[in-house]
Amino acid sequence: LTAATTYDWYVQADCGGGSSSTWTGPSTFTTPCAAVTTFPVTEDFENGGTIPACWTNDPGDAGGEWDFVTSDANGPPADHTTGSGYFALLDDYGITTSNSPFNLITPTYDFSAAGISYQIRYWAWIGPDGATNPIHIDVSSDGGTTWTNDVFVHDHSTTGSWFENIINLSARSEERRVGKECRSRWSPYH
């Protein structure tokens, strides 16, 4: 079976004596995503407003969901590249619980190639009132069961405009998932 693919399946009972039941179905399942092994990898979120394949809006976090939009009335007016593309948006303005995480999790990346150092590069836009809302980059080496928190924490030196962050990861010898987490501290817009 192919990774990250949805399949239909049907069931039919063999009743013996050459007879069988009617087919039941379809039911569906999706195969897990394979680890990314070819680099560099770029995700531009150009998916018509839906989350990219193999990315996860963490259903287990206490926060909310990331949206994929082309603009926001209270946040960035457009994406950082063309001005007309999609971007991942976390609007935590209406959150009522302090320090609630909003986890956007990447696919698994295989960092097992010997002697290679890896980077995470991303663009962010933080509203002028967002100085108390840190962006945390966390990594997991066990498929997301446990996390090494705060591999990088955004310093909020830039607000009100797009800026690029580059995080150098030391050479790795395992597969990793990367989570971009924002913990709400009562301030709007990432």
Side-chain angles (χ1 to χ4, degrees), residues 4-47:
T5 304
T6 300
Y7 293 92
D8 291 336
W9 59 277
Y10 300 81
V11 175
Q12 183 182 48
D14 180 349
C15 300
S19 64
S20 58
S21 68
T22 59
W23 286 102
T24 302
S27 293
T28 61
F29 70 95
T30 302
T31 53
C33 295
V36 176
T37 58
T38 304
F39 300 96
V41 175
T42 301
E43 177 53 64
D44 60 9
F45 299 110
E46 296 301 325
N47 296 304

Side-chain angles (χ1 to χ4, degrees), residues 6 27 30 36 41 46 59 67 74 80 83 89 111 117 159-160 167 169:
T6 300
S27 293
T30 302
V36 176
V41 175
E46 296 301 325
D67 295 314
N74 298 304
H80 75 282
L89 171 76
F111 295 150
S117 292
T159 61
I167 304 162
L169 300 175

Side-chain angles (χ1 to χ4, degrees), residues 89-100:
L89 171 76
L90 171 61
D91 180 352
D92 68 352
Y93 182 74
I95 300 306
T96 59
T97 304
S98 182
N99 293 315
S100 296

Side-chain angles (χ1 to χ4, degrees), residues 98-111:
S98 182
N99 293 315
S100 296
F102 297 78
N103 300 319
L104 180 61
I105 303 171
T106 69
T108 298
Y109 299 109
D110 183 348
F111 295 150

Side-chain angles (χ1 to χ4, degrees), residues 127-139:
D129 296 328
T132 60
N133 274 12
I135 298 173
H136 300 260
I137 303 296
D138 305 331
V139 296

